[in-house]
């Protein structure tokens, strides 16, 4: 039996997050440079400038968390990596893979009315997300037939 692995990452969110990260670092660096260029009534030191750049870097890293989302699936189960953590579910633990009307992201329906958001499949990716949902549903259906 051939094991096929499906992997999907968002496209538009990664572009926007990358652009925002660059903008945060650039803006906070410019502000840090301008802190000591003109008298404002406050005394800014080198440490204040370094802290300002550090704030820009921290904001950029926070925005880049949105770019790390990923979904990986095979015949055995599905692995979802969202902002902070990664979770793996076997297909027999999953009731449905759905994309509710008006939702921003797809989700995994679990028993007892629980669900896990799949941030790797956003609505803004349009047809790419539709294709990803079809592939996940195909893998789930194949696992149900094998069981």
């Amino acid at each position: 039996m051939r094991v096929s692995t499906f992997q999907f990452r968002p496209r538009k969110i990664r572009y926007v997050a990358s652009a925002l990260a660059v903008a945060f670092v650039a803006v906070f660096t410019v502000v840090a440079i301008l802190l000591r260029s003109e008298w404002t009534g406050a005394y800014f030191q080198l440490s204040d400038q370094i802290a300002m750049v550090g704030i820009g870097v921290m904001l950029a890293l926070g925005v880049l968390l949105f770019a790390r989302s990923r979904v990986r699936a095979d015949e055995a189960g599905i692995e979802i990596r969202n902002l902070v953590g990664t979770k793996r579910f076997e297909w027999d633990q999953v009731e449905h893979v759905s994309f509710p009307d008006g939702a921003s992201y797809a989700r995994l329906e679990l028993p007892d009315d629980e669900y896990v958001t799949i941030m790797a499949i956003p609505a803004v990716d349009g047809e790419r997300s539709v294709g990803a949902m079809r592939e996940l549903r195909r893998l789930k259906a194949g696992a149900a037939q094998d069981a």
Side-chain angles (χ1 to χ4, degrees):
M1 181 171 140
R2 188 177 141 272
V3 175
S4 67
T5 301
F6 170 72
Q7 180 170 303
F8 188 81
R9 297 184 70 188
R11 180 175 287 161
K12 290 180 182 177
I13 290 174
R14 285 193 335 217
Y15 294 152
V16 170
S18 299
L20 279 174
V22 169
F24 275 134
V25 172
V27 167
F28 279 83
T29 300
V30 168
V31 169
I33 291 168
L34 295 177
L35 276 179
R36 292 178 57 187
S37 67
E38 188 177 309
W39 173 249
T40 61
Y43 293 102
F44 291 107
Q45 304 297 319
L46 178 62
S47 61
D48 298 315
Q49 291 176 296
I50 293 170
M52 191 62 68
V53 172
I55 290 170
V57 169
M58 295 303 287
L59 288 171
L61 291 174
V63 167
L64 287 174
L65 285 175
F66 287 92
R68 73 183 296 269
S69 60
R70 178 190 72 211
V71 62
R72 223 183 246 168
D74 54 29
E75 284 86 4
I78 183 169
E79 178 185 275
I80 299 169
R81 181 172 70 186
N82 285 332
L83 293 179
V84 178
T86 301
K87 294 180 184 175
R88 175 142 180 105
F89 300 94
E90 300 304 314
W91 285 121
D92 60 354
Q93 297 174 287
V94 177
E95 290 186 358
H96 305 285
V97 181
S98 66
F99 211 124
D101 287 338
S104 297
Y105 300 100
R107 66 187 193 184
L108 224 51
E109 305 283 343
L110 303 173
D112 299 326
D113 293 327
E114 293 183 25
Y115 67 90
V116 176
T117 301
I118 307 173
M119 293 183 73
I121 306 178
V124 297
D125 275 354
E127 282 300 313
R128 287 187 74 243
S129 292
V130 170
M133 289 298 291
R134 285 185 181 137
E135 183 62 20
L136 289 178
R137 288 175 178 154
R138 185 192 68 76
L139 286 168
K140 171 138 178 49
Q145 289 175 353
D146 292 343

